[in-house]
Amino acid sequence: MQSRKLVLAAGFSLLVALPAFTWAQSKTAHPGTKEEEIRYKGAAVPIKPEQAKEQLTPKAPPLSTAEFTRAKQIYFERCAGCHGVLRKGATGKPLTPDITLPKGTEYLKVFIAYGSPAGMPNWQTSGELTEKDVDLMARFLQHEPPTPPEFGLKEMKATWKVLVPPAKRPTKKMNKLNIDNLFSVTLRDAGEIALIDGDSKKIVSTIKTGYAVHISRISASGRYLFVIGRDAKIDMIDLWAEKPNTVAEIKVGLEARSVETSKFKGFEDKLAVAGTYWPPQFVIMKGDTLEPVKIVATRGMTVDTQEYHPEPRVAAIVANHHKPEFVVNVKETGKVMLADYSDLNNLKITEIAAARFLHDGGWESTQRYVMMAANQSNKIAVIDTVEGKLASLVNVGKIPHPGRGANFVHPKFGPVWATSHLGDETVSLIGTDPVKHKQNAWKVVQTLKAQGGGSLFIKTHPKSTNLWVDTTLNPDAKVSQSIAVYDINALDKGFVALPIAEWAGLGEGAKRVLQPEYNKAGDEVWFSVWSAKDQQSAIVVVDDKTRKLKAVIKDPKLITPTGKFNVYNTQHDVY
């Protein structure tokens, strides 16, 4: 039997392990709300209860110190990912005292216990919370939200370490690794990454990192690997060293998702940038040491109702290829900020109004336009990084979650970029050529039917004719343990499902399949087969041409492998 439930952390999304329970055991359904959506929204945040001080409200029901501590823990583990750390609302509704006090304890208890059709989980009837916990949370929500501390330059510098100074690093590559075909693999629950040789399929080394590394990014030169954990710890790894190792580290906040490096000509490897969920800000650092230089707050007005939001999280950052800029997605306000890093003392930011709940995305094939998913708005924002403006807002399916997306040439509509969805079974193909295929540009030119909702990643490669779509969060084990693959030249024929988890040959465990990732050559595609921490996981390698099993990577060190990032493809934005 599966010993743990896997629930997705809001943001890229990788999952958090919670006590023994499966959503399928839920006693009360949510009309109109799919299980895969609840898995996505039900997210813990890595903020410790003791980091947020109690703020008692005189008119609210009494809470003891012990009760307040317990309530904070429950809120950060179960509620903050949806309602926000400050309870001002994110993908969920606001839960501030001006709203909750008039409702009263009994009303709130019913709402928490039984949930709502809009997506609020049924915490008591599902077995997640006891009746006592529900009563506690109903009282807690009527008090002022406990606020975690800010995290500024002083706090960052207290955590900053240069383990190997630039002067003591090698001046040439000191190992025989084929770095271009190296994979950085997140070992989520171990707080590590594994560097896997794409040629031999062997683990080169495992390196201690922050908790639950969200993404790996490569410097413009391909030498340095930057990884960021959900706990906002960044590790900078030198791939030229005899044995790749961490040369600098820093903690930039309490919760984070994104890191990137400068790529514009003349600024290669000069700067790094990281965005945080808490506090809501991003920081620009020196690219060789991670020394923090400039912190920029993202608090401000929303693009639609023009209301102040105190907690707009930085969800994703990409480096502009055409200007010395970082393209920063601000989730709750729906703004894309183009930060010109050419003069940090006189920082210039272009603010683009897109759509609320910006999440992840990537470049279309020419690397001029960035396609950013505004997930709860069911839109893709198209950002022109040459003109520095919004090119279009494209309506797509329910809760797009593309990762970086997938680029290919459609046999009928020309160049397209594709996204799959968390909230429905569709794949949206958007035309991306405003020059030779103007009539198709920034429109959904075709909608494909996939296996179901709960998709996190979609992938192809310039040398491939396959389009791969995972369905990691689907409640049907047969679906979540397989992968859908389309022939790009015959999309109307639909997909073929491949039993990736079965090919892994594992024992017990959830065995969810996620994140197709190509090798440099584009002739192999790698899949994480992810079980719980105390069960065996694996990476399955498939021959892209034949769609047949090529290799299975198993190792006791592969603890909850999730995200995988090929060095060359990540460095050059190949997807």
Side-chain angles (χ1 to χ4, degrees):
M1 294 292 292
Q2 179 179 338
S3 66
R4 294 192 181 189
K5 174 190 73 168
L6 296 178
V7 180
L8 179 74
F12 170 69
S13 49
L14 294 174
L15 310 177
V16 293
L18 294 177
F21 173 80
T22 61
W23 288 103
Q25 294 172 323
S26 175
K27 298 175 183 177
T28 304
H30 297 287
T33 305
K34 296 180 180 180
E35 180 181 328
E36 49 267 38
E37 291 182 53
I38 297 173
R39 291 185 179 198
Y40 170 65
K41 294 176 180 177
V45 299
I47 296 175
K48 298 178 178 62
E50 61 269 22
Q51 292 175 312
K53 296 186 181 298
E54 299 88 27
Q55 298 186 60
L56 293 171
T57 302
K59 295 182 180 180
L63 283 175
S64 68
T65 300
E67 285 180 322
F68 217 116
T69 300
R70 168 65 176 160
K72 286 190 293 182
Q73 180 179 359
I74 293 173
Y75 185 80
F76 289 143
E77 288 182 354
R78 300 288 202 273
C79 318
C82 199
H83 296 283
V85 170
L86 300 181
R87 306 209 311 255
K88 294 287 188 178
T91 53
K93 300 290 186 182
L95 294 172
T96 45
D98 60 311
I99 297 170
T100 56
L101 268 171
K103 299 293 185 184
T105 302
E106 292 307 313
Y107 174 93
L108 293 170
K109 284 168 63 175
V110 171
F111 192 74
I112 297 167
Y114 295 97
S116 78
M120 173 73 173
N122 49 331
W123 293 110
Q124 181 178 324
T125 57
S126 68
E128 282 279 353
L129 296 180
T130 65
E131 184 176 354
K132 183 178 179 181
D133 283 336
V134 169
D135 176 75
L136 170 62
M137 294 308 294
R139 289 182 284 131
F140 168 77
L141 292 178
Q142 296 173 70
H143 289 268
E144 287 294 326
T147 304
E150 299 296 321
F151 209 88
L153 190 64
K154 177 183 177 182
E155 289 77 16
M156 290 183 194
K157 284 197 170 182
T159 70
W160 171 51
K161 297 177 183 177
V162 180
L163 306 174
V164 182
K168 293 186 177 181
R169 297 173 197 167
T171 57
K172 62 180 181 179
K173 190 163 87 75
M174 301 298 292
N175 57 61
K176 296 182 179 180
L177 294 172
N178 179 6
I179 291 178
D180 278 355
N181 203 31
L182 198 65
F183 286 77
S184 173
V185 180
T186 298
L187 306 181
R188 187 191 184 282
D189 292 320
E192 298 176 338
I193 62 158
L195 295 179
I196 301 181
D197 180 3
D199 299 333
S200 68
K201 314 295 188 293
K202 301 295 184 182
I203 296 178
V204 173
S205 65
T206 57
I207 298 173
K208 285 288 182 184
T209 62
Y211 168 70
V213 164
H214 195 245
I215 57 172
S216 297
R217 290 291 178 258
I218 312 297
S219 66
S221 69
R223 174 175 182 169
Y224 292 112
L225 170 68
F226 297 80
V227 298
I228 188 165
R230 288 191 58 227
D231 58 359
K233 182 174 182 285
I234 303 172
D235 290 272
M236 178 181 176
I237 298 162
D238 187 358
L239 299 179
W240 279 14
E242 186 173 351
K243 184 177 182 180
N245 56 23
T246 301
V247 294
E249 64 180 45
I250 191 172
K251 190 172 169 63
V252 293
L254 301 183
E255 183 180 11
R257 296 295 189 280
S258 53
V259 66
E260 182 59 287
T261 68
S262 53
K263 292 184 177 180
F264 185 66
K265 187 176 180 179
F267 291 89
E268 298 94 330
D269 292 25
K270 298 294 186 183
L271 298 169
V273 61
T276 49
Y277 270 26
W278 187 269
Q281 61 194 29
F282 63 91
V283 56
I284 298 174
M285 300 158 282
K286 292 182 180 179
D288 58 351
T289 64
L290 294 181
E291 180 183 359
V293 179
K294 189 77 171 182
I295 302 172
V296 180
T298 56
R299 293 178 171 102
M301 314 305 284
T302 61
V303 297
D304 45 11
T305 57
Q306 300 287 296
E307 294 177 282
Y308 177 75
H309 200 292
E311 194 187 340
R313 301 172 286 183
V314 177
I317 304 174
V318 299
N320 193 343
H321 297 277
H322 308 280
K323 298 177 183 179
E325 287 180 340
F326 291 123
V327 184
V328 182
N329 272 4
V330 185
K331 195 177 185 80
E332 277 72 29
T333 56
K335 295 175 181 177
V336 177
M337 300 173 73
L338 306 182
D340 183 340
Y341 53 71
S342 62
D343 182 357
L344 296 181
N345 288 325
N346 299 284
L347 187 70
K348 297 177 182 177
I349 293 181
T350 300
E351 185 180 283
I352 299 174
R356 293 188 68 185
F357 311 117
L358 289 165
H359 192 59
D360 207 354
W363 297 98
E364 48 72 50
S365 59
T366 69
Q367 296 185 348
R368 170 173 176 166
Y369 300 92
V370 184
M371 316 289 286
M372 296 296 195
N375 53 23
Q376 295 293 334
S377 296
N378 304 326
K379 297 179 186 297
I380 299 295
V382 183
I383 308 300
D384 183 344
T385 62
V386 172
E387 295 292 334
K389 64 181 182 181
L390 181 72
S392 185
L393 282 175
V394 185
N395 293 316
V396 291
K398 190 173 183 181
I399 314 178
H401 194 289
R404 289 296 179 107
N407 290 296
F408 60 92
V409 178
H410 192 285
K412 180 178 179 182
F413 301 110
V416 298
W417 178 89
T419 181
S420 51
H421 300 87
L422 273 158
D424 65 33
E425 62 187 3
T426 65
V427 174
S428 296
L429 309 184
I430 299 171
T432 59
D433 180 6
V435 179
K436 295 181 180 179
H437 298 81
K438 187 175 181 179
Q439 71 279 14
N440 300 327
W442 320 135
K443 299 175 183 177
V444 175
V445 295
Q446 187 173 2
T447 300
L448 308 178
K449 182 179 179 181
Q451 292 199 87
S455 176
L456 294 180
F457 299 100
I458 185 169
K459 187 74 72 170
T460 188
H461 188 277
K463 296 181 180 178
S464 174
T465 59
N466 287 322
L467 178 66
W468 305 86
V469 183
D470 71 18
T471 327
T472 313
L473 295 188
N474 195 282
D476 185 334
K478 183 178 180 181
V479 173
S480 66
Q481 294 181 8
S482 64
I483 198 81
V485 55
Y486 298 82
D487 181 347
I488 287 171
N489 294 317
L491 293 169
D492 291 337
K493 292 184 178 180
F495 64 85
V496 174
L498 302 183
I500 302 296
E502 181 182 316
W503 289 352
L506 302 175
E508 293 182 349
K511 297 188 289 291
R512 296 187 183 279
V513 173
L514 78 155
Q515 205 213 20
E517 178 75 354
Y518 276 87
N519 63 345
K520 179 189 176 184
D523 57 9
E524 292 177 356
V525 59
W526 293 34
F527 300 92
S528 295
V529 183
W530 174 26
S531 289
K533 184 178 181 180
D534 57 352
Q535 293 162 333
Q536 190 176 30
S537 296
I539 292 174
V540 168
V541 182
V542 175
D543 185 297
D544 184 68
K545 184 175 181 180
T546 66
R547 301 181 179 175
K548 301 295 185 183
L549 175 64
K550 187 170 184 178
V552 178
I553 304 173
K554 293 181 182 178
D555 192 293
K557 297 176 183 177
L558 281 180
I559 300 171
T560 55
T562 49
K564 303 171 300 305
F565 303 88
N566 174 268
V567 166
Y568 182 88
N569 293 339
T570 304
Q571 176 189 358
H572 296 281
D573 294 309
V574 177
Y575 39 81

PDB file of all heavy atoms in Angstrom, residues 36-54:
ATOM      1  N   GLU A  36      -7.209  16.747  -9.260  1.00  0.00           N
ATOM      2  CA  GLU A  36      -5.886  17.215  -9.643  1.00  0.00           C
ATOM      3  C   GLU A  36      -5.703  18.698  -9.329  1.00  0.00           C
ATOM      4  O   GLU A  36      -4.598  19.149  -9.022  1.00  0.00           O
ATOM      5  CB  GLU A  36      -5.603  16.948 -11.123  1.00  0.00           C
ATOM      6  CG  GLU A  36      -6.676  17.388 -12.084  1.00  0.00           C
ATOM      7  CD  GLU A  36      -7.658  16.274 -12.407  1.00  0.00           C
ATOM      8  OE1 GLU A  36      -8.006  15.480 -11.511  1.00  0.00           O
ATOM      9  OE2 GLU A  36      -8.078  16.206 -13.566  1.00  0.00           O
ATOM     10  N   GLU A  37      -6.806  19.475  -9.375  1.00  0.00           N
ATOM     11  CA  GLU A  37      -6.725  20.892  -9.009  1.00  0.00           C
ATOM     12  C   GLU A  37      -6.452  21.051  -7.519  1.00  0.00           C
ATOM     13  O   GLU A  37      -5.663  21.898  -7.094  1.00  0.00           O
ATOM     14  CB  GLU A  37      -8.020  21.605  -9.367  1.00  0.00           C
ATOM     15  CG  GLU A  37      -8.270  21.759 -10.859  1.00  0.00           C
ATOM     16  CD  GLU A  37      -9.546  22.524 -11.123  1.00  0.00           C
ATOM     17  OE1 GLU A  37      -9.684  23.628 -10.569  1.00  0.00           O
ATOM     18  OE2 GLU A  37     -10.397  22.017 -11.868  1.00  0.00           O
ATOM     19  N   ILE A  38      -7.123  20.227  -6.705  1.00  0.00           N
ATOM     20  CA  ILE A  38      -6.928  20.298  -5.260  1.00  0.00           C
ATOM     21  C   ILE A  38      -5.497  19.923  -4.908  1.00  0.00           C
ATOM     22  O   ILE A  38      -4.867  20.526  -4.047  1.00  0.00           O
ATOM     23  CB  ILE A  38      -7.933  19.374  -4.538  1.00  0.00           C
ATOM     24  CG1 ILE A  38      -9.363  19.850  -4.799  1.00  0.00           C
ATOM     25  CG2 ILE A  38      -7.655  19.340  -3.042  1.00  0.00           C
ATOM     26  CD1 ILE A  38     -10.420  18.924  -4.281  1.00  0.00           C
ATOM     27  N   ARG A  39      -4.950  18.930  -5.587  1.00  0.00           N
ATOM     28  CA  ARG A  39      -3.561  18.528  -5.337  1.00  0.00           C
ATOM     29  C   ARG A  39      -2.610  19.678  -5.628  1.00  0.00           C
ATOM     30  O   ARG A  39      -1.627  19.888  -4.930  1.00  0.00           O
ATOM     31  CB  ARG A  39      -3.192  17.335  -6.213  1.00  0.00           C
ATOM     32  CG  ARG A  39      -3.911  16.055  -5.830  1.00  0.00           C
ATOM     33  CD  ARG A  39      -3.410  14.907  -6.662  1.00  0.00           C
ATOM     34  NE  ARG A  39      -4.072  13.669  -6.275  1.00  0.00           N
ATOM     35  CZ  ARG A  39      -3.610  12.475  -6.563  1.00  0.00           C
ATOM     36  NH1 ARG A  39      -2.493  12.344  -7.230  1.00  0.00           N
ATOM     37  NH2 ARG A  39      -4.266  11.397  -6.186  1.00  0.00           N
ATOM     38  N   TYR A  40      -2.910  20.414  -6.693  1.00  0.00           N
ATOM     39  CA  TYR A  40      -2.054  21.527  -7.097  1.00  0.00           C
ATOM     40  C   TYR A  40      -2.141  22.668  -6.092  1.00  0.00           C
ATOM     41  O   TYR A  40      -1.142  23.279  -5.715  1.00  0.00           O
ATOM     42  CB  TYR A  40      -2.468  22.007  -8.483  1.00  0.00           C
ATOM     43  CG  TYR A  40      -1.834  23.299  -8.915  1.00  0.00           C
ATOM     44  CD1 TYR A  40      -0.470  23.401  -9.126  1.00  0.00           C
ATOM     45  CD2 TYR A  40      -2.616  24.443  -9.111  1.00  0.00           C
ATOM     46  CE1 TYR A  40       0.111  24.588  -9.526  1.00  0.00           C
ATOM     47  CE2 TYR A  40      -2.032  25.629  -9.514  1.00  0.00           C
ATOM     48  CZ  TYR A  40      -0.677  25.689  -9.725  1.00  0.00           C
ATOM     49  OH  TYR A  40      -0.111  26.868 -10.121  1.00  0.00           O
ATOM     50  N   LYS A  41      -3.349  22.966  -5.642  1.00  0.00           N
ATOM     51  CA  LYS A  41      -3.545  24.121  -4.774  1.00  0.00           C
ATOM     52  C   LYS A  41      -3.168  23.839  -3.323  1.00  0.00           C
ATOM     53  O   LYS A  41      -2.743  24.737  -2.604  1.00  0.00           O
ATOM     54  CB  LYS A  41      -5.007  24.568  -4.824  1.00  0.00           C
ATOM     55  CG  LYS A  41      -5.442  25.113  -6.179  1.00  0.00           C
ATOM     56  CD  LYS A  41      -6.922  25.442  -6.158  1.00  0.00           C
ATOM     57  CE  LYS A  41      -7.404  25.990  -7.482  1.00  0.00           C
ATOM     58  NZ  LYS A  41      -8.851  26.242  -7.479  1.00  0.00           N
ATOM     59  N   GLY A  42      -3.349  22.599  -2.869  1.00  0.00           N
ATOM     60  CA  GLY A  42      -3.090  22.271  -1.473  1.00  0.00           C
ATOM     61  C   GLY A  42      -1.611  22.207  -1.206  1.00  0.00           C
ATOM     62  O   GLY A  42      -1.003  21.161  -1.323  1.00  0.00           O
ATOM     63  N   ALA A  43      -1.013  23.326  -0.817  1.00  0.00           N
ATOM     64  CA  ALA A  43       0.439  23.398  -0.794  1.00  0.00           C
ATOM     65  C   ALA A  43       0.970  23.885   0.538  1.00  0.00           C
ATOM     66  O   ALA A  43       0.474  24.837   1.110  1.00  0.00           O
ATOM     67  CB  ALA A  43       0.908  24.348  -1.891  1.00  0.00           C
ATOM     68  N   ALA A  44       1.997  23.211   1.024  1.00  0.00           N
ATOM     69  CA  ALA A  44       2.700  23.712   2.199  1.00  0.00           C
ATOM     70  C   ALA A  44       3.656  24.813   1.781  1.00  0.00           C
ATOM     71  O   ALA A  44       4.096  24.873   0.641  1.00  0.00           O
ATOM     72  CB  ALA A  44       3.470  22.576   2.862  1.00  0.00           C
ATOM     73  N   VAL A  45       3.977  25.698   2.716  1.00  0.00           N
ATOM     74  CA  VAL A  45       5.049  26.670   2.483  1.00  0.00           C
ATOM     75  C   VAL A  45       6.145  26.365   3.501  1.00  0.00           C
ATOM     76  O   VAL A  45       5.857  25.955   4.625  1.00  0.00           O
ATOM     77  CB  VAL A  45       4.568  28.127   2.633  1.00  0.00           C
ATOM     78  CG1 VAL A  45       3.478  28.428   1.634  1.00  0.00           C
ATOM     79  CG2 VAL A  45       4.087  28.427   4.039  1.00  0.00           C
ATOM     80  N   PRO A  46       7.420  26.549   3.118  1.00  0.00           N
ATOM     81  CA  PRO A  46       8.521  26.188   4.018  1.00  0.00           C
ATOM     82  C   PRO A  46       8.842  27.260   5.047  1.00  0.00           C
ATOM     83  O   PRO A  46      10.001  27.529   5.339  1.00  0.00           O
ATOM     84  CB  PRO A  46       9.686  25.959   3.051  1.00  0.00           C
ATOM     85  CG  PRO A  46       9.402  26.870   1.925  1.00  0.00           C
ATOM     86  CD  PRO A  46       7.903  26.925   1.786  1.00  0.00           C
ATOM     87  N   ILE A  47       7.807  27.895   5.592  1.00  0.00           N
ATOM     88  CA  ILE A  47       7.985  28.888   6.651  1.00  0.00           C
ATOM     89  C   ILE A  47       7.651  28.219   7.971  1.00  0.00           C
ATOM     90  O   ILE A  47       6.582  27.619   8.120  1.00  0.00           O
ATOM     91  CB  ILE A  47       7.086  30.116   6.421  1.00  0.00           C
ATOM     92  CG1 ILE A  47       7.500  30.840   5.138  1.00  0.00           C
ATOM     93  CG2 ILE A  47       7.154  31.066   7.613  1.00  0.00           C
ATOM     94  CD1 ILE A  47       6.599  31.994   4.755  1.00  0.00           C
ATOM     95  N   LYS A  48       8.559  28.292   8.921  1.00  0.00           N
ATOM     96  CA  LYS A  48       8.362  27.639  10.214  1.00  0.00           C
ATOM     97  C   LYS A  48       7.406  28.474  11.070  1.00  0.00           C
ATOM     98  O   LYS A  48       7.456  29.703  11.054  1.00  0.00           O
ATOM     99  CB  LYS A  48       9.702  27.459  10.923  1.00  0.00           C
ATOM    100  CG  LYS A  48      10.684  26.562  10.170  1.00  0.00           C
ATOM    101  CD  LYS A  48      12.002  26.469  10.918  1.00  0.00           C
ATOM    102  CE  LYS A  48      12.963  25.529  10.201  1.00  0.00           C
ATOM    103  NZ  LYS A  48      13.304  25.988   8.851  1.00  0.00           N
ATOM    104  N   PRO A  49       6.528  27.823  11.846  1.00  0.00           N
ATOM    105  CA  PRO A  49       5.559  28.562  12.664  1.00  0.00           C
ATOM    106  C   PRO A  49       6.210  29.587  13.582  1.00  0.00           C
ATOM    107  O   PRO A  49       5.676  30.676  13.784  1.00  0.00           O
ATOM    108  CB  PRO A  49       4.867  27.452  13.467  1.00  0.00           C
ATOM    109  CG  PRO A  49       4.993  26.236  12.612  1.00  0.00           C
ATOM    110  CD  PRO A  49       6.320  26.364  11.925  1.00  0.00           C
ATOM    111  N   GLU A  50       7.388  29.258  14.133  1.00  0.00           N
ATOM    112  CA  GLU A  50       8.037  30.171  15.063  1.00  0.00           C
ATOM    113  C   GLU A  50       8.566  31.428  14.373  1.00  0.00           C
ATOM    114  O   GLU A  50       8.917  32.410  15.051  1.00  0.00           O
ATOM    115  CB  GLU A  50       9.172  29.465  15.797  1.00  0.00           C
ATOM    116  CG  GLU A  50      10.288  28.928  14.915  1.00  0.00           C
ATOM    117  CD  GLU A  50      10.069  27.495  14.467  1.00  0.00           C
ATOM    118  OE1 GLU A  50       8.899  27.040  14.472  1.00  0.00           O
ATOM    119  OE2 GLU A  50      11.050  26.840  14.091  1.00  0.00           O
ATOM    120  N   GLN A  51       8.621  31.419  13.042  1.00  0.00           N
ATOM    121  CA  GLN A  51       9.090  32.594  12.315  1.00  0.00           C
ATOM    122  C   GLN A  51       8.009  33.661  12.164  1.00  0.00           C
ATOM    123  O   GLN A  51       8.295  34.767  11.711  1.00  0.00           O
ATOM    124  CB  GLN A  51       9.607  32.181  10.936  1.00  0.00           C
ATOM    125  CG  GLN A  51      10.887  31.352  10.978  1.00  0.00           C
ATOM    126  CD  GLN A  51      11.310  30.868   9.615  1.00  0.00           C
ATOM    127  OE1 GLN A  51      10.497  30.343   8.858  1.00  0.00           O
ATOM    128  NE2 GLN A  51      12.575  31.029   9.281  1.00  0.00           N
ATOM    129  N   ALA A  52       6.789  33.331  12.511  1.00  0.00           N
ATOM    130  CA  ALA A  52       5.682  34.285  12.398  1.00  0.00           C
ATOM    131  C   ALA A  52       5.091  34.530  13.780  1.00  0.00           C
ATOM    132  O   ALA A  52       4.578  33.608  14.419  1.00  0.00           O
ATOM    133  CB  ALA A  52       4.615  33.742  11.454  1.00  0.00           C
ATOM    134  N   LYS A  53       5.172  35.758  14.244  1.00  0.00           N
ATOM    135  CA  LYS A  53       4.739  36.080  15.604  1.00  0.00           C
ATOM    136  C   LYS A  53       3.221  36.216  15.689  1.00  0.00           C
ATOM    137  O   LYS A  53       2.572  36.687  14.765  1.00  0.00           O
ATOM    138  CB  LYS A  53       5.404  37.372  16.071  1.00  0.00           C
ATOM    139  CG  LYS A  53       6.924  37.267  16.171  1.00  0.00           C
ATOM    140  CD  LYS A  53       7.518  38.521  16.764  1.00  0.00           C
ATOM    141  CE  LYS A  53       9.032  38.419  16.842  1.00  0.00           C
ATOM    142  NZ  LYS A  53       9.469  37.322  17.714  1.00  0.00           N
ATOM    143  N   GLU A  54       2.664  35.794  16.853  1.00  0.00           N
ATOM    144  CA  GLU A  54       1.224  35.879  17.062  1.00  0.00           C
ATOM    145  C   GLU A  54       0.765  37.335  17.134  1.00  0.00           C
ATOM    146  O   GLU A  54       1.469  38.188  17.668  1.00  0.00           O
ATOM    147  CB  GLU A  54       0.816  35.168  18.365  1.00  0.00           C
ATOM    148  CG  GLU A  54       1.141  33.696  18.404  1.00  0.00           C
ATOM    149  CD  GLU A  54       2.541  33.401  18.921  1.00  0.00           C
ATOM    150  OE1 GLU A  54       3.061  34.211  19.693  1.00  0.00           O
ATOM    151  OE2 GLU A  54       3.117  32.376  18.518  1.00  0.00           O
TER     152      GLU A  54
END
